């Protein structure tokens, strides 16, 4: 266990938390931060974002009673303090470890986690639904949505705000503004008025004044409209953000110092007393309490292990993401039609250097994957060659845009699908096991799946220049499996490794081709000749691949994807249409593996060498 082994005992229960004094609360916040820093330094995780909401979370737990009241954390990478305050402090050292607690909210862990969140901009819609359920069922509890300002780059956030603001429910949206992206500089007067506006005496006076002035005979209503109009004009000058939210139906409070628990206490009490949709604007510092996280919030937003004293992280190793970025930059140097697009994942997708080298051809669209796809389709229709680098799990948001805005036009959009297959550490919301079924359903779509860095370089070139219409190149996080190096890169749609006298054929694609090859070699060596068919292009399936499979008696398909709608299912249908009446099986990922390493995830799914041998009836290594 980490050094904070004894610190968790200093975390109070809910009843004690309500009565703690200012000094005690500040000490508690220090303890919470220390636990988080020590744990993330060992396990990796989202550090800067969690350090920024410590006081806010403590204030929430003082103002509300969970789980009767409910809180939805947008994206979920702000929930560490919440986990520590809801009975998980003793096991917090297991964060993001297999069999431990996840890095995101999980109802399976605690009844105080009311909603699974791992993708951005969803909190207000979810909270709107939870609040409506409370109203209909007669539950007088409150629902709180905590969203970062980055979530406002996603369109779903505005859909939720638009609907929730006119709901008349006990819903509080907390805008955690840690970049000052909405209010550049509010000034002394604005800060002073913000303090006044959250005081209960002011709110009561406002309600009484409104009723009184409206009851003045003949002129009351007109006078009230005039006074309100003058007030709104003044507010627009001071609070450029408040107008937007108030026009959506919210009562706007703020901006509030998100590191002052006394101010937060007062603001949250005022928000509760209004008993209507409230937007509470809170200003926080990302990485608060940790110097190196404050100086480099992007690096410590999502970080691997690091030296807790210096903050030094491990030197980045070459990965599929970095190879993609390097190769795309080479193509861009020779072709000024090539543009790169990402959805708030510049570093993660390997595009940092591309962005620096070609700023006029690089576009970060924010957390707006749907827009990213349609934006790329528009560029393609205009004669450019856009490449949209997106994590597999986030591509799930784009089915409508892929079908209607891209495939119907046969736009030449290149999707660089990162984090395909098993993704370590982040859990069920980030596993890349559904992009293959999604892409299989898109007409005109071509899909490549490299197993090595060399194949990625070649297939990216093919995607850019040899394919018409939409095309995807999907690749995993990290590095290839070692045995994959035996597959020589080829422009052909498949690689066939024949064993003399083989009646058994193993078919696969992507990273696990290495495990399939290792299993086939073992079987052949032990008297059961086994051939391997590796698909380099998984959509469309080359007819020659079907011919090769028809010549074998036992055909086993292995894929690092969900089975329904997968390549194995489609391949089996093609065999059936060709009246294949022999032995055919599909082995895929039947259950979301949750938090795991790549090795353990593949083992659970039976996609490591041992599992493949068991599936085909061979002796276990």
């Amino acid at each position: 266990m980490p050094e904070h082994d004894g610190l968790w005992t200093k975390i109070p229960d809910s009843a004690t938390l309500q009565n703690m004094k200012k000094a005690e609360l500040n000490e508690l916040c220090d303890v919470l931060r220390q636990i988080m820093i020590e744990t993330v330094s060992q396990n990796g995780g989202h550090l800067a974002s969690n350090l920024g909401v410590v006081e806010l979370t403590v204030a929430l737990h003082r103002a509300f009673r969970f789980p009767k009241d409910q809180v939805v954390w947008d994206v979920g990478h702000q929930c560490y303090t919440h986990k520590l305050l809801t009975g998980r402090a003793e096991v917090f050292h297991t964060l993001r470890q297999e069999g431990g607690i996840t890095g995101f909210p999980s109802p399976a862990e605690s009844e105080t986690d009311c909603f699974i969140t791992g993708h951005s901009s969803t909190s207000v819609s979810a909270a709107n639904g939870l609040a409506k359920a409370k109203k209909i069922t007669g539950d007088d509890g409150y629902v709180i949505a905590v969203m970062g300002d980055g979530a406002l780059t996603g369109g779903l956030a505005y859909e939720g705000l638009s609907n929730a603001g006119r709901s008349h429910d006990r819903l509080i949206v907390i805008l955690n503004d840690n970049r000052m992206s909405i209010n550049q500089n509010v000034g002394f007067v604005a800060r002073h008025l913000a303090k006044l506006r959250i005081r209960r005496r002011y709110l009561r006076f406002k309600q009484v004044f409104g009723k009184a002035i409206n009851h003045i005979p003949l002129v009351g209503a007109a006078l009230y409209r005039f006074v309100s109009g003058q007030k709104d004009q003044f507010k627009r000058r001071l609070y450029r953000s408040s107008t937007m939210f108030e026009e959506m139906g919210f009562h706007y409070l703020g901006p509030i110092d998100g590191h002052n628990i006394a101010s937060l206490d007062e603001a949250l009490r005022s928000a509760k007393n209004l008993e209507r949709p409230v937007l509470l604007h809170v200003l926080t510092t990302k990485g608060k309490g940790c110097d190196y996280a404050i100086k480099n919030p992007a690096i410590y937003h999502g970080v691997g292990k690091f030296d807790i004293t210096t903050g030094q992280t491990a030197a980045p190793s070459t990965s599929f993401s970095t190879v993609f970025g390097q190769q795309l930059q080479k193509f861009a140097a020779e072709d000024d039609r090539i543009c790169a697009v990402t959805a708030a994942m510049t570093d993660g997708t390997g595009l940092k250097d591309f962005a620096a080298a070609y700023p006029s051809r690089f576009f970060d669209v924010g957390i707006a994957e749907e827009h990213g796809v349609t934006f790329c389709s528009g560029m393609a229709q205009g004669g450019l060659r856009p490449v949209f680098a997106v994590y597999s799990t986030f591509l799930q948001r784009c089915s409508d845009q892929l079908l209607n805005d891209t495939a119907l036009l046969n736009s030449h959009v290149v999707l660089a699908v990162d984090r395909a297959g098993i993704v370590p550490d982040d859990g069920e919301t980030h596993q890349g096991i559904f992009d293959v079924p999604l892409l299989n359903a898109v007409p005109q779509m071509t899909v490549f799946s490299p197993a090595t860095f060399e194949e990625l370089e070649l297939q990216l070139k093919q995607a850019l220049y040899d394919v018409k219409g939409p095309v995807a190149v999907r690749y995993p996080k990290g590095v290839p499996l070692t045995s994959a190096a035996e597959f020589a890169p080829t422009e052909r749609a498949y690689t066939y490794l024949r064993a003399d006298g083989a009646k058994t054929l193993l078919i696969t694609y992507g990273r696990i081709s290495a495990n399939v090859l290792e299993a086939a070699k073992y079987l052949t060596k032990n008297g059961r000749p086994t051939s391997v068919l590796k698909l380099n292009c998984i959509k469309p399936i080359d007819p020659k691949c079907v011919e090769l499979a028809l010549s074998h008696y036992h055909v086993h398909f292995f894929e690092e994807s969900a089975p329904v709608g997968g390549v194995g299912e489609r391949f089996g249908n093609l065999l059936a249409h060709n009246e294949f009446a022999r032995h055919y099986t599909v082995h895929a990922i039947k259950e979301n593996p949750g938090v795991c390493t790549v090795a353990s995830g593949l083992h659970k799914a039976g996609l490591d060498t041992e599992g493949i041998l068991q599936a085909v009836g061979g002796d276990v290594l």
Side-chain angles (χ1 to χ4, degrees):
M1 293 178 67
E3 294 178 5
H4 73 249
D5 188 15
L7 286 179
W8 63 266
T9 60
K10 298 182 180 181
I11 298 176
D13 57 27
S14 179
T16 304
L17 184 65
Q18 312 308 314
N19 299 315
M20 291 177 67
K21 305 300 182 184
K22 180 180 178 180
E24 295 173 316
L25 291 169
N26 290 337
E27 182 181 353
L28 170 62
C29 292
D30 291 341
V31 167
L32 293 167
R33 284 193 169 93
Q34 185 177 349
I35 293 174
M36 284 190 279
I37 293 169
E38 290 182 4
T39 301
V40 176
S41 73
Q42 295 296 314
N43 300 0
H46 292 92
L47 183 62
S49 53
N50 278 289
L51 293 176
V53 296
V54 173
E55 288 84 2
L56 173 59
T57 311
V58 169
L60 283 171
H61 279 265
R62 283 164 58 83
F64 297 95
R65 300 295 176 266
F66 303 110
K68 177 177 176 57
D69 299 316
Q70 296 173 304
V71 58
V72 183
W73 300 91
D74 210 311
V75 182
H77 54 42
Q78 302 169 326
C79 71
Y80 289 3
T81 301
H82 173 72
K83 285 179 181 273
L84 286 165
L85 294 174
T86 51
R88 286 167 277 184
E90 188 174 356
V91 295
F92 194 74
H93 66 278
T94 68
L95 180 73
R96 302 175 78 245
Q97 303 296 293
E98 191 165 355
I101 63 173
T102 71
F104 296 94
S106 171
E109 279 182 17
S110 171
E111 61 180 346
T112 62
D113 291 0
C114 64
F115 210 84
I116 291 178
T117 49
H119 292 187
S120 180
S121 310
T122 62
S123 62
V124 179
S125 295
N128 186 193
L130 289 164
K132 186 59 65 180
K134 284 186 179 296
K135 187 169 187 176
I136 291 174
T137 59
D139 185 333
D140 61 355
Y142 292 84
V143 179
I144 307 99
V146 182
M147 63 189 307
D149 53 339
L152 290 178
T153 63
L156 181 58
Y158 296 96
E159 295 176 32
L161 287 166
S162 178
N163 196 63
R166 49 192 172 88
S167 67
H168 305 293
D169 297 331
R170 292 182 168 188
L171 172 63
I172 300 170
V173 176
I174 297 176
L175 176 58
N176 172 32
D177 184 356
N178 53 33
R179 293 186 180 180
M180 301 293 287
S181 61
I182 294 176
N183 283 69
Q184 293 288 325
N185 189 345
V186 294
F188 170 78
V189 175
R191 289 195 298 270
H192 178 67
L193 291 180
K195 292 179 181 179
L196 291 177
R197 293 177 72 206
I198 66 172
R199 292 179 180 170
R200 284 172 287 177
R201 286 180 296 174
Y202 165 76
L203 295 171
R204 285 197 297 269
F205 169 77
K206 180 180 176 183
Q207 292 169 341
V208 172
F209 175 77
K211 290 180 181 178
I213 200 171
N214 264 305
H215 281 85
I216 298 175
L218 301 178
V219 299
L223 181 59
Y224 182 79
R225 287 194 297 271
F226 173 76
V227 172
S228 296
Q230 294 299 308
K231 177 198 70 173
D232 289 342
Q233 287 187 33
F234 183 58
K235 280 165 54 183
R236 286 188 182 97
R237 294 188 180 95
L238 290 171
Y239 302 98
R240 284 176 290 173
S241 62
S242 66
T243 304
M244 175 185 73
F245 298 119
E246 289 183 331
E247 287 178 352
M248 288 181 172
F250 285 89
H251 186 104
Y252 175 88
L253 296 177
I256 304 299
D257 181 354
H259 300 296
N260 186 316
I261 293 180
S263 295
L264 289 166
D265 283 345
E266 182 73 15
L268 291 171
R269 283 195 297 268
S270 297
K272 289 176 65 175
N273 290 335
L274 287 166
E275 297 189 347
R276 53 164 292 189
V278 175
L279 190 294
L280 176 59
H281 185 178
V282 175
L283 305 180
T284 63
T285 299
K286 208 169 184 179
K288 174 78 171 178
C290 181
D291 289 343
Y292 43 79
I294 291 177
K295 292 176 182 176
N296 298 289
I299 293 176
Y300 293 94
H301 171 76
V303 66
K305 293 182 179 181
F306 60 88
D307 185 288
I308 194 171
T309 303
T310 64
Q312 184 67 41
T313 59
S317 58
T318 301
S319 66
F320 278 99
S321 302
T322 56
V323 170
F324 157 73
Q326 292 165 359
Q327 195 65 19
L328 186 64
Q329 191 172 340
K330 290 180 182 178
F331 290 134
E334 301 172 357
D335 187 345
D336 58 12
R337 296 172 298 172
I338 292 176
C339 299
V341 179
T342 184
M345 290 290 173
T346 303
D347 290 348
T349 56
L351 289 175
K352 183 177 180 180
D353 290 340
F354 186 106
Y358 304 105
S360 65
R361 287 190 275 152
F362 172 77
F363 307 95
D364 185 343
V365 298
I367 306 173
E369 292 84 1
E370 303 95 324
H371 165 68
V373 170
T374 304
F375 174 56
C376 285
S377 184
M379 286 197 289
Q381 291 296 310
L384 299 177
R385 298 204 175 192
V387 179
F388 182 33
V390 58
Y391 288 7
S392 169
T393 184
F394 301 137
L395 182 65
Q396 294 165 189
R397 299 181 147 198
C398 306
S399 58
D400 180 66
Q401 290 71 31
L402 289 171
L403 288 164
N404 291 294
D405 300 338
T406 307
L408 288 181
L409 291 163
N410 203 33
S411 296
H412 187 196
V413 172
V414 178
L415 302 174
V417 185
D418 203 329
R419 270 67 167 174
I422 298 292
V423 178
D425 305 326
D426 282 330
E428 56 192 346
T429 60
H430 283 57
Q431 295 295 352
I433 61 176
F434 299 110
D435 62 276
V436 170
L438 170 61
L439 295 171
N440 269 337
V442 179
Q444 316 292 344
M445 178 68 70
T446 299
V447 184
F448 293 100
S449 187
T452 65
F453 293 156
E454 293 76 17
E455 285 186 343
L456 171 57
E457 293 174 357
L458 175 61
Q459 292 174 15
L460 181 59
K461 181 179 180 180
Q462 290 179 280
L464 284 166
Y465 297 109
D466 298 344
V467 176
K468 295 181 180 179
V471 55
V473 183
R474 67 183 302 272
Y475 44 89
K477 181 178 182 180
V479 299
L481 299 179
T482 53
S483 300
E486 297 189 32
F487 293 105
T490 175
E491 293 185 358
R492 296 178 65 183
Y494 63 90
T495 299
Y496 178 54
L497 302 178
R498 180 179 177 274
D500 291 338
K503 296 183 178 181
T504 299
L505 175 66
L506 309 184
I507 311 176
T508 190
Y509 60 89
R511 169 170 56 188
I512 63 169
S513 300
N515 294 338
V516 170
L517 177 60
E518 189 175 348
K521 290 165 65 176
Y522 178 85
L523 290 168
T524 300
K525 181 180 178 181
N526 286 275
R528 185 178 170 184
T530 301
S531 297
V532 173
L533 177 60
K534 174 181 174 296
L535 305 181
N536 302 318
C537 179
I538 62 176
K539 184 180 188 294
I541 295 173
D542 192 306
K544 181 63 176 178
C545 295
V546 179
E547 290 181 26
L548 290 170
L550 290 170
S551 66
H552 293 77
Y553 287 92
H554 305 282
V555 179
H556 302 275
F557 199 102
F558 297 90
E559 66 178 317
E560 193 179 344
S561 168
V564 178
V567 182
E569 185 177 83
R570 289 182 58 246
F571 202 107
N573 288 338
L574 292 172
L575 289 177
H577 284 306
N578 284 274
E579 299 182 349
F580 180 78
R582 297 167 183 169
H583 183 217
Y584 180 75
T585 63
V586 177
H587 307 274
I589 301 175
K590 298 178 181 178
E591 296 181 358
N592 193 311
V595 178
C596 62
T597 63
V598 171
S600 66
L602 293 178
H603 179 72
K604 287 179 181 178
L607 298 176
D608 59 357
T609 303
E610 179 181 344
I612 292 166
L613 286 171
Q614 289 179 337
V616 300
D619 294 328
V620 178
L621 287 175

